[in-house]
Amino acid sequence: MSGWRTAGGVLLAVLTAGCAAQVQQSRPVAVEEPAQDAPVTASPTTSVPVPPAQPAISVASIVDGRSVMLADGSKAEVSGLAQPGPCWADAATGFARSMLLNQQVRYDRATGALSLTDGTDYALLALGNGAGRTTGTPSPAQKEAEAAAQRVPMGLWGPPCGGKDATETPAPPPPPPAPAPTTTTKPPAPPRPKPVFYANCDEARRAGAAPLHWGQPGYRIELDPNRNGIACESRYR
């Protein structure tokens, strides 16, 4: 129909438009299917990279309780372990020598972790045996290993170190008091004999001193004519 002559025509026009819309909606929609030979791609997923395993290498020598020299000439310093103190340095070095020398280990230079070929972490092994102490920001496992050695106590936590890097040196005993000064008195010298002079031998005889020998008081060479060392000899000799 054409034209808008009557209300009925308008109604017919609306109905016609409604039928056309229903026909348009009932038409099938074509859906493209993938070709039979097209490859099917999986949706991308997020994957965590796995670090490569460290190659095993032999320990050539022991530097101290936390450092070793590897077979390639490089130095490996275990992270998480403090520099050994003077009191327990020898014990820590001995422990490292018994566990690592000439053994195959794996050392991660990025983290400083050193482990045995069976996966044992050397830092935990040393801490748990009192052969090391933690430093920096230790991991919970390192704290627990250190606490276990402290509870025993074991290694550096026991005597003589008692957890200290250096033992306290006892103060030296005070020096003995100085002996009191002693005054030594010399014995008095014997009194010198008074000088004796005899004018002649008769005087010496009267004094009872004759004969006079050389060195005796009163001896004079003049009283000893024969010069035999005896003055005022007996006149009857």
Side-chain angles (χ1 to χ4, degrees):
M1 283 186 171
S2 63
W4 301 91
R5 289 176 299 178
T6 62
V10 174
L11 177 60
L12 291 175
V14 172
L15 292 176
T16 304
C19 293
Q22 290 180 358
V23 172
Q24 185 177 1
Q25 291 179 357
S26 63
R27 292 176 182 175
V29 178
V31 178
E32 296 182 359
E33 295 182 358
Q36 297 296 328
D37 298 335
V40 178
T41 58
S43 59
T45 58
T46 303
S47 60
V48 178
V50 178
Q54 299 296 326
I57 188 170
S58 176
V59 175
S61 63
I62 305 298
V63 179
D64 53 34
R66 67 169 185 172
S67 304
V68 299
M69 296 301 296
L70 302 177
D72 60 359
S74 63
K75 182 179 179 180
E77 186 172 296
V78 183
S79 63
L81 296 182
Q83 177 67 37
C87 182
W88 50 278
D90 291 342
T93 302
F95 181 82
R97 183 178 295 109
S98 64
M99 299 303 300
L100 301 176
L101 185 60
N102 298 326
Q103 299 297 318
Q104 293 289 318
V105 298
R106 289 186 171 89
Y107 181 63
D108 189 341
R109 300 190 182 279
T111 62
L114 186 142
S115 61
L116 305 180
T117 53
D118 62 357
T120 302
D121 188 298
Y122 178 74
L124 298 180
L125 190 64
L127 293 171
N129 285 273
R133 87 162 64 240
T134 58
T135 186
T137 307
S139 65
Q142 291 173 342
K143 291 180 180 179
E144 176 57 30
E146 184 178 56
Q150 291 174 342
R151 288 191 295 267
V152 174
M154 183 183 298
L156 71 95
W157 307 107
C161 301
K164 298 180 180 180
D165 287 341
T167 56
E168 297 180 357
T169 304
T182 58
T183 57
T184 56
T185 57
K186 295 182 179 180
R192 293 182 179 181
K194 295 181 179 180
V196 178
F197 179 80
Y198 298 109
N200 49 46
C201 286
D202 290 336
E203 186 177 347
R205 291 188 184 98
R206 285 194 298 270
L212 298 170
H213 296 270
W214 183 85
Q216 286 182 334
Y219 174 87
R220 291 186 297 119
I221 195 65
E222 292 81 6
L223 302 179
D224 188 8
N226 58 2
R227 306 294 193 269
N228 65 347
I230 303 173
C232 300
E233 293 180 273
S234 173
R235 65 181 67 182
Y236 305 108
R237 184 176 178 182

